[in-house]
Structure formats: structure tokens, C-alpha cells
């Protein structure tokens, strides 16, 4: 709804207000009148009318808003919503169009991604902050500054021309990747795995492949998401708790999706221009084709993580590499990699990974302390239960 209305009205703020107005009206009316046959159409039409009413009430309007009034009044009636998708852009999907629009080069890369995630992709500020490993107030300030920069510089919400798309593609790929990451391991207390969000990320990934079929990283991201999302049904137990990869029932994996991912990876890796998404996809596929944890090619996975770290030298990549190194070369080697990571003291998964390796080395007191540190980092409800279960297994408490 927001993507469609922003395209039609030319104003993100106006579209946001209109969508909120429509949802409030639905909450008031639907309990009494019933849910319409087409809820999405009802909401979108109601939001569009709310935006037009708001514009008409204003005494002073700029040319853009006047045009929006004329456009909306002329093309949208009180009944059904008929989207008039422009044909001038290669991007036909409203949401993907607006993600490209928000990834404006005037904003720094992190701000482009954060604004798109918060405004367009349904992630809360807390979820966006978790993706960037920063505090929620810090992320809220970044998003506000990005909106102010757009307003202050009079940057229009204009769909970029086709020749501008490649420059914006890296940020768009990052948006889809973070949406999928939140789906796979949600920071939300309600659902540790958000299947609907994962499906939406894959939908956007397929659209990007269709849009830019010759860009290997588009295919790499799609393969990564397919191979990872294939494990979704086995990642949660009957009580809603997380199940580690080693303990998952692999018969519940979507092996058709894994096969599709493997085929994509085999094709993309023939190119010399290998990027981070392709490497991560190869890692996910190696997990997917292994019948058991013991049969996993950990040496190759560790090697791929080394390549990934050279391409993307982040703390998150190094923490993941430490787990692969521990499987390939032993927990001492993995811990040595992990102890070289800096700047992630507030990330619970770092402490959890460290606790797991210390536990394998029978360094019980240090492992208990690390699990407690992880609990002190305000993990999601599912992660909190997992950490407490680990402490219970070690005969310890959370304090």
C-alpha cells in the first residue's frame, strides 16, 4: 500500500499518514461491518481518498501536491482500486520500484538500506537496529536524518531511470538480504522464523534476477535465500524453540529448493566476478546437500568463509567463520578466530558462539559466564529460551 501510494502521490510522508488513516478506519469499521471481500483494495482506496482529503484541506500546496490531487482525483474513484503501473521503467513491481527509489545516491549506503527497511519493508526500528548491530535509538536517529535530508534537499520520490538502476543495485540487494535475514532469524519476540517475510524476500529476489539476469550477485542472493529458507520447517521445535542445524530433521528440508539453489550456484560460479552473496550461497548449498552434520564438507565451508571475509571483512562474517573452523580444525582453532573479533560485545550471538566452543573444550565456568553475557544482551524470546536451556543443561542458572 505504502509503495503504491508513494508512487501515485509523490510524497512518502503523505502516503504514510494516509495508510495509517486507512488502518484506523478499518479497525473501527470492520468489527461491525465485516471484512470486505478485497481488504487490500478497500485499504488502498481508503488511504488514497484520505490523502486527497488531506491535500484539499491545505490552504497552500506546491505544484507537486496539486498534481497529486489531480492525478488521484482523476484516476481513483470511491470503489475498486485500479493500479496504473507505469510502463516507462523496467521495474514493474511497486515495492521493488520504491526500494530502488529510496536507495538514492544522495544518502549514504547504510541510510539507504535502513530507510527502505523501516519505511517500505515492514521492519520495526528495533529490527533494523539489530540487523546493523546498533542500539535502537541510534538507528531511529539515522532514519530521521535520512528523511530530513530527503526533505531538505528536495529529493523527489522519483523512480530512477533504467540506466540509474545498476548504481543503486548494491543497496537494493542489501535491503532484500536484511529482510531475509530477519525472516530467517527474527529479532522479534513473536516469531523466531518469519516464513511470510522469507517468502516475500525470495519474491523480490526473483524479480531482481528477472530484471538483471546478467548480474551474478542477483542470482547469488536468490540461491542463498532458497537454500537457507529450505530449512525453515526444521528450525523450530514443537514448543516454538530454535533447533540448531546439527539437530534438525533433514527430511523436513525443502530439497527441491536446495536443488534449485545448487543449480544457480553452479552456473554463477563459472563467472570470475564472484561476490559475497555467491559465496554465502555456496556455503548454504554445502549445508543443504549434506545428509548429516558429520558428512558436511566443513573444510570447504571454512575455506569459503575465508574468501567471504576477504570480500566482506565484518565481525559477523568472522564469527560465522569461527564456527566452520571449529568443525574443520577443532574448537581451539575456532576459539582463536572468535577471540580476534572486536566491537561486538553487545551482540548476543557472539557470546553464544563463544560459550558453545568453551563448552566443547570443557571450560565450564567460562562457558557459563559467556552464556550469561549473551542473556545480558537482550536477545529475542526464542534465543533467550535457547540460552537458558543451555545453562540448565550445564547445571547452571541464568544468574
Amino acid at each position: 500500500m505504502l509503495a503504491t501510494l508513494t508512487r501515485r502521490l509523490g510524497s512518502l510522508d503523505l502516503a504514510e499518514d494516509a495508510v495509517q488513516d486507512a488502518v484506523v478506519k478499518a479497525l473501527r469499521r470492520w468489527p461491525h461491518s465485516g471484512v470486505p471481500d478485497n481488504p487490500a483494495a478497500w485499504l488502498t482506496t481508503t488511504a488514497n481518498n484520505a490523502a486527497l482529503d488531506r491535500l484539499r484541506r491545505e490552504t497552500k500546496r506546491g505544484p507537486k501536491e496539486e498534481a497529486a490531487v489531480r492525478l488521484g482525483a482523476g484516476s481513483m474513484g470511491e470503489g475498486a482500486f485500479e493500479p496504473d503501473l507505469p510502463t516507462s521503467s523496467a521495474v514493474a513491481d511497486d515495492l521493488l520500484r520504491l526500494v530502488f527509489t529510496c536507495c538514492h545516491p544522495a544518502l549514504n549506503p547504510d541510510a539507504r538500506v535502513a530507510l527502505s527497511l523501516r519505511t517500505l519493508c515492514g521492519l520495526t526500528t528495533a529490527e533494523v537496529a539489530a540487523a546493523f548491530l546498533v542500539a535502537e535509538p541510534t538507528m531511529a536517529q539515522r532514519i530521521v536524518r535520512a528523511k530530513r535530508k530527503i526533505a531538505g534537499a528536495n529529493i523527489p520520490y522519483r523512480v530512477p531511470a533504467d540506466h540509474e538502476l545498476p548504481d543503486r543495485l548494491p543497496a537494493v540487494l542489501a535491503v532484500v538480504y536484511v529482510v531475509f535475514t530477519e525472516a530467517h532469524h527474527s529479532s522479534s519476540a513473536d516469531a523466531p522464523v518469519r516464513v511470510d517475510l522469507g517468502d516475500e524476500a525470495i519474491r523480490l529476489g526473483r524479480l531482481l534476477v528477472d530484471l538483471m539476469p546478467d548480474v551474478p550477485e542477483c542470482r547469488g542472493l536468490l540461491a542463498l535465500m532458497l537454500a537457507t529458507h529450505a530449512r525453515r520447517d526444521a528450525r523450530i521445535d514443537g514448543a516454538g524453540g530454535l533447533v540448531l542445524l546439527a539437530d534438525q530433521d533433514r527430511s523436513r528440508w525443502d530439497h527441491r529448493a536446495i536443488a534449485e539453489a545448487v543449480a544457480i550456484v553452479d552456473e554463477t560460479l563459472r563467472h570470475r566476478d564472484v561476490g559475497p552473496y555467491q559465496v554465502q550461497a555456496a556455503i548454504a548449498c554445502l549445508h543443504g546437500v549434506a545428509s548429516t552434520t558429520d558428512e558436511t564438507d566443513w573444510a570447504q565451508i571454512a575455506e569459503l568463509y575465508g574468501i567471504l571475509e576477504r570480500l566482506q571483512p565484518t565481525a559477523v562474517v568472522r564469527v560465522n567463520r569461527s564456527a566452520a573452523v571449529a568443525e574443520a580444525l577443532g574448537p581451539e582453532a575456532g576459539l582463536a578466530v572468535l577471540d580476534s573479533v572486536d566491537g561486538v560485545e553487545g551482540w548476543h550471538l557472539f557470546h553464544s558462539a563463544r560459550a558453545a566452543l568453551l563448552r566443547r573444550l570443557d571450560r565450564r565456568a567460562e562457558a557459563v559466564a559467556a552464556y550469561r553475557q549473551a542473556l545480558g544482551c537482550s536477545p529475542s524470546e526464542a534465543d533467550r529460551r535457547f540460552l537458558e536451556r543451555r545453562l540448565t543443561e550445564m547445571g547452571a542458572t541464568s544468574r
Side-chain angles (χ1 to χ4, degrees):
M1 288 171 58
L2 184 61
T4 299
L5 287 170
T6 301
R7 167 175 59 78
R8 297 181 61 82
L9 299 169
S11 167
L12 177 60
D13 289 338
L14 178 61
E16 284 185 307
D17 290 342
V19 168
Q20 291 176 19
D21 288 346
V23 171
V24 169
K25 288 180 181 178
L27 290 170
R28 289 174 177 167
R29 294 183 185 180
W30 290 2
H32 306 290
S33 63
V35 178
D37 292 337
N38 190 337
W42 189 99
L43 285 166
T44 306
T45 301
T46 302
N48 182 81
N49 293 335
L52 299 181
D53 290 343
R54 188 179 296 248
L55 287 172
R56 291 189 185 104
R57 287 196 302 268
E58 294 178 357
T59 57
K60 295 182 180 180
R61 295 192 292 264
K64 185 185 300 183
E65 291 175 331
E66 291 282 4
V69 171
R70 290 194 296 273
L71 171 65
S75 61
M76 297 194 64
E78 295 291 330
F81 169 59
E82 295 288 345
D84 58 339
L85 295 176
T87 58
S88 58
S89 173
V91 189
D93 181 79
D94 262 346
L95 178 57
L96 190 58
R97 285 165 61 90
L98 199 52
V99 172
F100 269 103
T101 301
C102 280
C103 290
H104 196 284
L107 303 174
N108 70 56
D110 283 354
R112 299 176 209 173
V113 176
L115 181 63
S116 298
L117 291 168
R118 177 65 188 95
T119 306
L120 305 175
C121 298
L123 271 65
T124 66
T125 302
E127 290 166 345
V128 178
F132 283 83
L133 300 183
V134 299
E136 183 177 351
T138 301
M139 181 53 65
Q141 291 174 359
R142 289 185 188 178
I143 294 171
V144 168
R145 283 197 297 268
K147 286 189 173 183
R148 285 176 179 168
K149 184 166 186 177
I150 288 173
N154 292 319
I155 297 172
Y157 279 96
R158 175 186 61 80
V159 177
D162 290 352
H163 71 272
E164 297 175 299
L165 299 180
D167 288 340
R168 302 190 184 200
L169 180 62
V172 174
L173 289 170
V175 169
V176 177
Y177 175 73
V178 174
V179 169
F180 181 77
T181 300
E182 175 63 23
H184 178 66
H185 193 140
S186 177
S187 56
S188 168
D190 298 329
V193 177
R194 298 174 61 181
V195 175
D196 58 338
L197 198 61
D199 290 340
E200 174 66 3
I202 290 175
R203 184 187 75 84
L204 292 173
R206 291 192 185 280
L207 289 173
L208 285 169
V209 170
D210 291 341
L211 180 66
M212 297 184 175
D214 297 328
V215 178
E217 277 290 76
C218 290
R219 293 183 177 275
L221 177 57
L222 176 59
L224 167 62
M225 294 189 295
L226 286 169
T228 305
H229 202 48
R231 306 195 297 263
R232 61 192 178 277
D233 292 339
R235 295 190 65 243
I236 304 298
D237 62 22
L242 288 171
V243 181
L244 295 182
L245 180 63
D247 301 323
Q248 290 175 17
D249 178 359
R250 299 184 181 218
S251 68
R252 300 184 65 196
W253 290 0
D254 184 348
H255 293 282
R256 181 177 298 180
I258 292 170
E260 182 183 356
V262 169
I264 294 172
V265 168
D266 286 345
E267 192 277 328
T268 58
L269 290 183
R270 295 192 186 104
H271 299 269
R272 292 186 178 182
D273 184 19
V274 176
Y277 296 122
Q278 296 165 75
V279 176
Q280 291 178 79
I283 293 169
C285 286
L286 284 172
H287 285 300
V289 299
S291 300
T292 65
T293 301
D294 291 339
E295 293 180 17
T296 304
D297 191 343
W298 288 108
Q300 188 174 356
I301 290 176
E303 183 178 349
L304 286 169
Y305 268 119
I307 295 172
L308 180 61
E309 189 172 5
R310 289 194 290 274
L311 294 170
Q312 207 172 53
T314 67
V316 174
V317 172
R318 182 167 292 188
V319 169
N320 286 324
R321 182 167 76 87
S322 72
V325 168
E327 295 295 337
L329 302 176
E332 287 276 11
L335 190 61
V337 174
L338 199 58
D339 285 344
S340 67
V341 180
D342 294 319
V344 289
E345 289 77 10
W347 186 32
H348 70 284
L349 294 180
F350 164 75
H351 296 293
S352 178
R354 192 167 183 276
L357 293 181
L358 289 167
R359 184 186 185 191
R360 287 175 59 183
L361 291 167
D362 201 26
R363 291 161 61 174
R364 181 185 177 283
E366 293 173 87
V368 167
Y371 277 129
R372 287 172 176 166
Q373 279 183 285
L375 281 169
C377 295
S378 302
S380 68
E381 179 63 21
D383 286 351
R384 182 187 63 78
R385 291 199 303 267
F386 171 80
L387 294 167
E388 289 178 342
R389 187 165 70 243
R390 281 289 188 259
L391 284 169
T392 300
E393 290 169 356
M394 298 178 68
T397 64
S398 58
R399 294 184 180 178

